[in-house]
Amino acid sequence: MAGFSFDLQGTDGRARTGVISTPRGDIRTPAFMPVGTAATVKAMLPGSVRETGADILLGNTYHLMLRPTAERIAALGGLHTFMNWDRPILTDSGGFQVMSLSDLRKLTEEGVTFKSHIDGSKHTLSPERSMEIQRLLGSDIVMCFDECPALPADRTRIAQSMELSMRWAARSRVAFGDRPGHALFGIQQGGLEEDLRGQSAEALCEIGFEGYAVGGLAVGEGQEAMFGCLDYAPEQLPTDKPRYLMGVGKPDDIVGAVARGIDMMDCVLPSRSGRTGQVFTRHGVLNIKNARHQNDPRPLDEACTCPACRGYSRAYLHHVFRSQEIISSMLLTWHNLHYYQDLMAGMRTAIAAGSFVDWQTAFHTGREMGDIDPL
């Protein structure tokens, strides 16, 4: 079986483009991973997600361990077969959801005991159990089990959390074992403290991973603080391994992260926004529920080639959203995911051509223009 590897093919400033190779296919970077929390990208067929340009999806350990359970998915052939997606899948460790969704959680050195947000049943997640669940799911990229405190938090709390996460990272590495063709990513923590981030990076590099994530951001700190951290955090990680910024984000966040050396991102925003009528275009964000669209025969974006823009007017999309028709979620989600993948493709091309600065300027200029004038 072919292994896991990363080929850094070009840089422009700190922005990078390359290819992550896995037995299930290549992942072009910078890469955006649509989120399939419960083994589905909501309102999308797997083939439709692939048509947007996505090379990889994200699955969620916490949600899948609770329902339908990792053991059931393994018995049914693994997550790829279960959800009919034959390309790479990254699974998160479950740690963030345990901290943010669960009731009555108890944190110890061993792991986290918590009650399910679904039915109140009691569960335990540890580095070893997280690795076991992700092995049962069969994901191609596995994330270490870590703790992620919400920001703002005091330095002592952040340091304690980071140190615990590094001990858990070492245990995750041991529990992951030898799995050719699969990769384990370490997760850098340390809040907004540069020295703590540095200590975390050193600990992770000493353990050794196939890729490295910048964790603990997009948790309430705001874009300015996040970019301030990204001005140094990616550079603390190895240059020859993929760098993954977890849970990001808005188009401006993504472009800014790539400019600072990030290779991979994920976020529920494009799919969740599609279901609530928020639409991303080259000219910024529009809300399809607004009355200005009800008589507009034009597409969401005349330059977009997605099915929503090729076949449907703003007036129709306004109507089906207002009428709560299922096709609204389908078309708007498809458009948003298509826009995000176009964004990534544009950056890959610009970085390879050495024109990323010009591309960034055009990106921001287009968004500052705002939506087209109403009829």
Side-chain angles (χ1 to χ4, degrees), residues 339-352:
Y339 169 79
Y340 268 59
Q341 295 301 340
D342 269 3
L343 195 67
M344 309 315 290
M347 286 191 285
R348 290 193 295 265
T349 299
I351 295 166

Side-chain angles (χ1 to χ4, degrees), residues 43-75:
M44 295 287 287
L45 291 170
S48 304
V49 177
R50 177 61 178 154
E51 285 183 42
T52 68
D55 292 333
I56 178 173
L57 297 183
L58 183 143
N60 188 273
T61 291
Y62 170 86
H63 288 278
L64 293 172
M65 71 174 280
L66 296 179
R67 185 171 58 191
T69 75
E71 286 75 13
R72 179 169 288 123
I73 290 174

Side-chain angles (χ1 to χ4, degrees), residues 284-299:
V285 182
L286 65 88
N287 195 326
I288 201 63
K289 73 179 73 170
N290 290 346
R292 59 163 287 181
H293 303 296
Q294 62 185 345
N295 296 312
D296 196 331
R298 297 172 296 181

Side-chain angles (χ1 to χ4, degrees), residues 347-368:
M347 286 191 285
R348 290 193 295 265
T349 299
I351 295 166
S355 59
F356 185 64
V357 172
D358 290 340
W359 185 94
Q360 276 186 285
T361 300
F363 165 79
H364 290 297
T365 299
R367 289 177 61 81
E368 288 167 3

Side-chain angles (χ1 to χ4, degrees), residues 219-357:
V219 290
E221 75 279 2
Q223 187 190 75
E224 182 178 355
M226 180 179 73
F227 282 174
C229 182
L230 292 177
D231 283 337
Y232 58 80
E235 296 298 303
Q236 295 172 332
L237 301 171
T239 59
D240 61 343
K241 300 293 177 68
R243 299 165 175 170
Y244 164 32
L245 178 59
M246 306 178 75
V248 173
K250 296 178 182 178
D252 286 347
D253 295 337
I254 289 174
V255 172
V258 169
R260 291 165 172 82
I262 292 296
D263 304 306
M264 304 168 68
M265 286 137 288
D266 78 280
C267 191
V268 299
L269 190 61
S271 49
R272 179 178 292 169
S273 294
R275 301 194 302 276
T276 60
Q278 188 178 54
V279 180
F280 297 94
T281 77
R282 293 173 301 118
H283 301 303
V285 182
L286 65 88
N287 195 326
I288 201 63
K289 73 179 73 170
N290 290 346
R292 59 163 287 181
H293 303 296
Q294 62 185 345
N295 296 312
D296 196 331
R298 297 172 296 181
L300 297 170
D301 187 333
E302 69 279 1
C304 181
T305 60
C306 82
C309 292
R310 289 201 315 264
Y312 301 92
S313 66
R314 292 181 178 217
Y316 178 77
L317 295 170
H318 171 84
H319 158 68
V320 290
F321 181 84
R322 285 290 191 180
S323 302
Q324 299 183 344
E325 293 290 345
I326 294 171
I327 196 173
S328 172
S329 294
M330 295 165 61
L331 289 172
L332 296 181
T333 300
W334 195 321
H335 169 84
N336 282 346
L337 290 174
H338 182 103
Y339 169 79
Y340 268 59
Q341 295 301 340
D342 269 3
L343 195 67
M344 309 315 290
M347 286 191 285
R348 290 193 295 265
T349 299
I351 295 166
S355 59
F356 185 64
V357 172

Side-chain angles (χ1 to χ4, degrees), residues 10-31:
T11 61
D12 189 358
R14 291 174 59 192
R16 298 148 45 102
T17 186
V19 175
I20 299 169
S21 297
T22 81
R24 293 188 183 272
D26 290 343
I27 304 160
R28 298 162 294 174
T29 67

Side-chain angles (χ1 to χ4, degrees), residues 151 158 190-194 197 216-217 221 225-226 228-229 232:
L151 298 179
I158 292 171
L192 302 176
E193 307 290 332
E194 184 171 358
R197 288 269 173 191
L217 295 178
E221 75 279 2
M226 180 179 73
C229 182
Y232 58 80

